[in-house]
């Protein structure tokens, strides 16, 4: 690599990304900056130092990726209980989603409340979701690819789900119950009141 190209990458990387609190402060929006020219653009999608400055010190151990063909697909709301609870860092590689995190920490002042953010491949924004939240998303376009980091490996015995359409939570999904495309597991998920204390 030439010195000029190497220096250019370092200069682009210096600006990094912005970390922004949501209405539930433990859930963060991550806005990586993009630097474009005639070739396209460059972006840093993950930086331990910037995350740590914002209080995110999660040691991610696994990357996951999903593909959803039909628009109106809902995946979630999912979570794992201790000792295999998962924090997640979500981003979209193709298409767009409404991404949702629901606070299920029984002692939390925001218990039962949610954060809903539109994520798309065009702007590259991400959502950080800590332990104690159920996570799900609805595809806003066809052919959506979602990638996310987790800080604990998948564990079937610790895997749980929460009803995506629980009226007590009241998430404004962009699809009706009749039109939503769900797995059998997600259709059978219990409501918040039936979960009991899980965190």
């Amino acid at each position: 690599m030439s010195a000029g190209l190497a220096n250019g990458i370092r200069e682009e990387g210096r600006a990094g990304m912005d970390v922004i609190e949501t209405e539930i402060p433990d859930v963060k929006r991550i806005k990586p900056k993009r630097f474009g020219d005639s070739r396209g653009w460059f972006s840093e999608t993950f930086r331990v130092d910037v995350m740590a400055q914002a209080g995110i010190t999660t040691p991610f151990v696994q990357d996951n990726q999903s593909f959803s063909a039909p628009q109106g697909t809902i995946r979630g709301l999912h979570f794992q209980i201790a000792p295999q609870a998962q924090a997640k860092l979500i981003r979209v590689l193709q298409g767009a989603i409404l991404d949702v995190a629901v606070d299920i920490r029984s002692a939390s002042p925001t218990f039962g409340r949610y954060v809903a953010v539109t994520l798309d491949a065009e702007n590259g924004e991400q959502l950080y979701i800590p332990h104690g939240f159920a996570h799900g998303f609805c595809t806003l376009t066809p052919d959506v690819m979602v990638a996310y980091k987790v800080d604990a490996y998948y564990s079937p015995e610790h895997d749980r789900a929460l009803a995506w359409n629980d009226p007590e939570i009241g998430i404004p999904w962009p699809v009706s119950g009749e039109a939503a495309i769900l797995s059998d597991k997600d259709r059978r998920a219990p409501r918040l009141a039936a979960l009991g204390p899980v965190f």
Side-chain angles (χ1 to χ4, degrees):
M1 177 182 293
S2 71
L5 183 53
N7 288 339
I9 290 176
R10 281 199 295 270
E11 288 169 7
E12 288 173 341
R14 192 173 295 146
M17 57 186 62
D18 295 323
V19 181
I20 302 163
E21 286 189 353
T22 66
E23 53 267 45
I24 301 178
D26 291 336
V27 178
K28 315 273 190 196
R29 296 172 68 168
I30 316 294
K31 291 191 171 184
K33 297 178 181 178
R34 290 182 175 177
F35 304 90
D37 59 23
S38 60
R39 301 165 299 172
W41 52 262
F42 170 88
S43 180
E44 293 177 341
T45 61
F46 179 72
R47 282 189 60 137
V48 169
D49 58 346
V50 175
M51 300 281 192
Q53 290 169 13
I56 301 171
T57 57
T58 304
F60 293 111
V61 299
Q62 180 177 315
D63 282 2
N64 299 327
Q65 186 169 332
S66 72
F67 174 76
S68 302
Q71 181 174 338
T73 296
I74 289 182
R75 294 181 182 263
L77 300 156
H78 301 151
F79 61 97
Q80 288 190 178
I81 59 172
Q84 293 297 114
Q86 291 180 324
K88 298 178 180 179
L89 182 61
I90 317 293
R91 67 187 182 113
V92 174
L93 305 179
Q94 179 176 298
I97 63 173
L98 180 70
D99 204 40
V100 178
V102 179
D103 190 348
I104 54 174
R105 300 170 297 180
S106 56
S108 170
T110 55
F111 174 76
R113 289 173 52 190
Y114 65 87
V115 172
V117 175
T118 298
L119 303 180
D120 63 61
E122 188 66 28
N123 66 28
E125 187 173 328
Q126 304 175 36
L127 192 67
Y128 171 76
I129 304 169
H131 295 174
F133 286 76
H135 168 253
F137 63 83
C138 179
T139 59
L140 303 177
T141 64
D143 299 331
V144 172
M145 280 193 285
V146 175
Y148 57 101
K149 296 180 177 294
V150 294
D151 70 336
Y153 300 114
Y154 173 66
S155 174
E157 58 266 41
H158 299 92
D159 188 36
R160 300 289 187 275
L162 170 64
W164 68 283
N165 57 350
D166 185 341
E168 182 182 347
I169 301 169
I171 299 166
W173 295 104
V175 64
S176 68
E178 295 75 23
I181 300 167
L182 297 127
S183 69
D184 290 340
K185 168 189 168 182
D186 290 343
R187 288 191 183 279
R188 296 192 305 265
R191 292 185 177 184
L192 186 64
L195 272 185
V198 289
F199 286 99

